[in-house]
């Protein structure tokens, strides 16, 4: 055989080059590894994707398909869920609903058709309270088809860890304390796995800052000191009208994208981003502004939501489900978190039809927090405690505060069985999960 012929045959059979439109392949290997926190002599044992904390940022352009091959090197089963990426239901990564768990040593390939640009993230949906806490999570970004001239695109995966004095991850999960409170809040807060990291920016730069709350339970309330910003997207989707950022409760699962111009007068300063969730705001990260002469600020208008559903279309719509959220005795841990007094998997589920309008109400009868998340659906908040509270954006996760009632509206667009749950991992594991079946 001539070399030329071998080359041609190799080309035909090569899985990567055979078709111009074949999906880009990414490999994710959940495995045990080490992560160095700055204040301990020895690195901390973690579970992570590809030995990175957080896992690799997966990026793809809108309209393309990515195939993610997961090889489970953990000692227990796992799965990968693409938080609110609206994909084929079979790729949603929920064991017992959309797939079997990926056993140790096994592989599973997720084909992700990227139809909507935005900020997403991925995490396991198996033994999630422990797997997320040990470090399994990463960001997924779907880029707009048209590239905007941002000076920088900063991606912050916000997280917290409960570490013991020797630097090990506190090894008990879903404890009685976590279950009776708002889940497992850590004692070390990180951005992209780092403690109070510093990012260098220049005066005049226009920055897209994507904040993703990947914590098990902690709520963040970011404050930008010395900077003004606009909100351009929430939970991945562009807002319908860009508005000034004046604080936002970023509960587990939530994302927010900000448009920030570094003012010329900030040259040489260090601007802090703080978390105002507690009375004494703590530093999350800082922006070190260089002394450079101000750059020319790129001028453009970020995209706003296409086909935005007006809240008024839900006015005469019947409530399809009212989910009462409360603690009951029972379940795997003795304390169950229920939806209508039911504990997963014996849940009280909802059924909907594609293209129709629906309203759902979450009634929090407890004094704890419940960031309620629906897979595969973007919804609009319509009312809080019976008063209109229409937001200029859609969400996939809404924080339902103590004794609060929140009504949402949505129009299902994707077939399948979509999990609905509290994103405080120990509440979900203690039963606070149901499904919405869309047909
Ligand atoms: Cu990030 Cu079932 O969710
Ligand atoms: Cu909850």
């Amino acid at each position: 055989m001539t070399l030329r012929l071998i080359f041609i045959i190799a080309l035909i059979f090569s899985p990567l080059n055979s078709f111009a439109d074949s999906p880009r392949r990414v490999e994710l290997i959940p495995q045990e590894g080490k992560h160095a926190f700055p204040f301990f002599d020895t690195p901390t044992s973690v579970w992570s994707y590809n030995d990175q904390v957080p896992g690799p940022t997966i990026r793809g352009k809108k309209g393309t398909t990515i195939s993610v091959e997961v090889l489970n090197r953990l000692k227990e089963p796992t799965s990968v869920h693409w938080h609110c990426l609206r994909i084929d239901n079979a790729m949603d990564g929920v064991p017992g609903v959309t797939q079997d768990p990926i056993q140790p040593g096994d592989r599973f390939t997720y084909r992700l058709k990227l139809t909507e640009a935005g900020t997403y993230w991925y995490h396991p949906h198996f033994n999630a309270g422990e797997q997320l806490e040990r470090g399994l999570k990463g960001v997924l970004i779907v880029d707009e088809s048209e590239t905007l001239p941002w000076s920088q695109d900063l991606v912050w995966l916000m997280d917290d860890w409960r570490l013991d004095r020797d630097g090990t991850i506190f090894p008990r999960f879903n404890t009685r304390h976590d279950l009776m409170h708002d889940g497992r809040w850590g004692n070390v807060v990180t951005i992209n796995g780092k403690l109070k990291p510093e990012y260098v920016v220049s005066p005049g730069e226009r920055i897209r800052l994507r904040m993703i709350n990947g914590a098990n339970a902690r709520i963040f309330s970011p404050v930008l000191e010395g900077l003004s910003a606009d909100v351009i997207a929430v939970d991945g989707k562009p807002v319908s009208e860009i508005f000034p950022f004046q604080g936002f409760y970023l509960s587990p699962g939530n994302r927010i994208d900000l448009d920030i111009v570094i003012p010329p007068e900030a040259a040489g300063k260090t601007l802090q981003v703080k978390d105002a969730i507690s009375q004494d705001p703590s530093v999350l990260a800082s922006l070190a502004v260089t002394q450079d002469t101000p750059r020319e600020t790129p001028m453009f208008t970020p995209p706003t939501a296409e086909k935005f559903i007006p809240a008024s279309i839900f006015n005469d719509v019947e409530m399809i489900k009212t989910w009462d959220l409360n603690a009951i005795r029972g379940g795997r841990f003795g304390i169950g978190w229920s939806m209508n007094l039911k504990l997963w998997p014996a849940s009280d589920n909802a059924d909907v039809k594609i293209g129709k309008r629906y309203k759902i109400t979450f009634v929090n009868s407890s004094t704890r927090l419940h960031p309620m998340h629906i897979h595969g659906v973007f919804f609009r908040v319509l009312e809080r405690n019976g008063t209109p509270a229409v937001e200029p954006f859609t969400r996939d996760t809404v924080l339902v505060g103590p004794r609060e009632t929140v009504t949402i509206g949505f129009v299902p667009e994707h077939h399948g069985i979509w999990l609905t749950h509290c994103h405080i991992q120990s509440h979900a594991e203690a039963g606070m999960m149901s499904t919405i079946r869309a047909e």
Side-chain angles (χ1 to χ4, degrees):
M1 226 187 302
T2 68
L3 265 182
R4 202 185 146 85
L5 194 56
I6 292 173
F7 177 68
I8 290 170
I9 291 172
L11 205 63
I12 292 170
F13 289 100
S14 146
L16 271 179
N17 305 327
S18 48
F19 301 103
D21 63 347
S22 68
R24 195 160 62 80
R25 282 170 49 188
V26 176
E27 190 168 54
L28 275 189
I29 306 180
Q31 58 190 289
E32 294 181 9
K34 298 278 183 200
H35 180 69
F37 286 98
F39 24 66
F40 302 112
D41 298 337
T42 46
T44 298
S45 296
V46 294
W47 298 355
S48 65
Y49 292 111
N50 302 4
D51 217 7
Q52 293 174 41
V53 172
T57 297
I58 301 175
R59 277 191 108 112
K61 251 200 185 344
K62 176 180 167 180
T64 63
T65 299
I66 307 186
S67 115
V68 185
E69 206 173 299
V70 177
L71 166 59
N72 183 9
R73 287 232 173 97
L74 300 172
K75 295 192 185 89
E76 60 176 47
T78 192
S79 76
V80 184
H81 166 60
W82 315 93
H83 184 108
C84 225
L85 195 65
R86 299 204 294 174
I87 40 173
D88 186 357
N89 191 237
M91 300 289 114
D92 201 41
V94 183
V97 178
T98 65
Q99 69 170 98
D100 289 329
I102 312 168
Q103 297 299 329
D106 280 2
R107 288 179 184 270
F108 188 93
T109 302
Y110 292 94
R111 264 182 84 91
L112 311 177
K113 205 163 174 260
L114 309 176
T115 55
E116 289 162 305
T119 308
Y120 298 91
W121 65 299
Y122 60 92
H123 60 77
H125 231 297
F126 183 90
N127 188 21
E130 178 168 1
Q131 294 197 0
L132 268 93
E133 180 66 8
R134 289 196 183 275
L136 290 166
K137 61 197 70 173
V139 176
L140 187 150
I141 292 173
V142 183
D143 286 305
E144 290 80 14
S145 356
E146 195 191 318
T147 312
L148 291 174
W150 297 102
S151 315
Q152 293 194 52
D153 187 342
L154 293 181
V155 181
W156 289 4
L157 181 57
M158 302 153 83
D159 199 0
D160 69 347
W161 310 71
R162 192 186 296 172
L163 301 177
D164 271 334
R165 274 169 203 281
D166 61 352
T168 54
I169 293 174
F170 178 68
R172 292 210 305 277
F173 302 88
N174 304 315
T175 61
R176 201 178 155 76
H177 178 277
D178 296 350
L179 290 164
M180 291 186 48
H181 296 84
D182 302 313
R184 178 175 168 124
W185 286 51
N187 48 12
V188 173
V189 170
T190 57
I191 305 264
N192 298 335
K194 297 188 186 73
L195 190 73
K196 304 186 191 353
E198 189 179 89
Y199 295 86
V200 178
V201 298
S202 298
E205 278 195 323
R206 186 163 176 186
I207 290 165
R208 177 174 188 160
L209 172 59
R210 307 173 191 252
M211 291 192 267
I212 302 118
N213 184 353
N216 273 45
R218 175 182 292 272
I219 319 278
F220 290 95
S221 174
V223 176
L224 310 172
E225 287 194 340
L227 283 177
S228 58
D230 282 333
V231 178
I232 57 167
V234 173
D235 285 354
K237 292 267 264 184
V239 297
S240 63
E241 227 175 280
I242 293 170
F243 60 94
F245 174 68
Q246 279 164 333
F248 189 85
Y249 285 123
L250 208 64
S251 48
N254 279 138
R255 287 89 67 213
I256 190 167
D257 291 29
L258 301 179
D259 178 355
I260 305 173
V261 174
I262 308 296
E265 56 278 13
K269 293 190 185 152
T270 296
L271 309 172
Q272 289 180 325
V273 180
K274 290 188 170 172
D275 180 16
I277 199 70
S278 60
Q279 307 225 306
D280 179 23
S282 53
V283 176
L284 292 169
S286 51
L287 301 174
V289 190
T290 61
Q291 297 273 16
D292 305 351
T293 35
R295 304 214 188 150
E296 204 185 314
T297 302
M299 295 305 282
F300 59 89
T301 313
T304 43
E306 307 159 23
K307 299 187 293 180
F308 197 67
I309 299 172
S312 57
I313 71 160
F314 298 103
N315 284 348
D316 54 350
V317 170
E318 221 189 299
M319 201 71 63
I320 180 166
K321 186 66 87 186
T322 299
W323 267 311
D324 184 82
L325 315 171
N326 211 349
I328 57 170
R329 259 179 233 276
R332 292 159 65 198
F333 312 110
I335 301 167
W337 277 103
S338 66
M339 295 173 75
N340 289 351
L341 303 175
K342 296 277 196 340
L343 299 179
W344 179 263
S347 48
D348 175 26
N349 304 323
D351 280 294
V352 296
K353 296 237 162 348
I354 302 291
K356 290 195 136 188
R357 298 167 288 165
Y358 294 96
K359 278 207 288 212
I360 285 181
T361 296
F362 295 108
V363 179
N364 184 355
S365 297
S366 75
T367 55
R368 306 314 327 180
L369 303 169
H370 303 296
M372 298 307 293
H373 169 49
I374 309 182
H375 289 202
V377 160
F378 286 102
F379 55 79
R380 297 203 62 184
V381 169
L382 303 172
E383 284 178 14
R384 283 181 189 268
N385 294 328
T387 357
V390 177
E391 300 173 327
F393 48 84
T394 50
R395 294 170 168 272
D396 59 50
T397 306
V398 63
L399 181 61
V400 189
R403 308 263 180 225
E404 193 182 25
T405 294
V406 175
T407 298
I408 60 163
F410 65 100
V411 180
E413 290 179 276
H414 297 265
H415 287 264
I417 302 177
W418 303 103
L419 203 67
T420 302
H421 61 95
C422 176
H423 220 291
I424 288 184
Q425 300 299 337
S426 22
H427 291 180
E429 299 235 307
M432 201 172 252
M433 303 203 281
S434 297
T435 58
I436 297 179
R437 177 200 297 268
E439 274 171 349

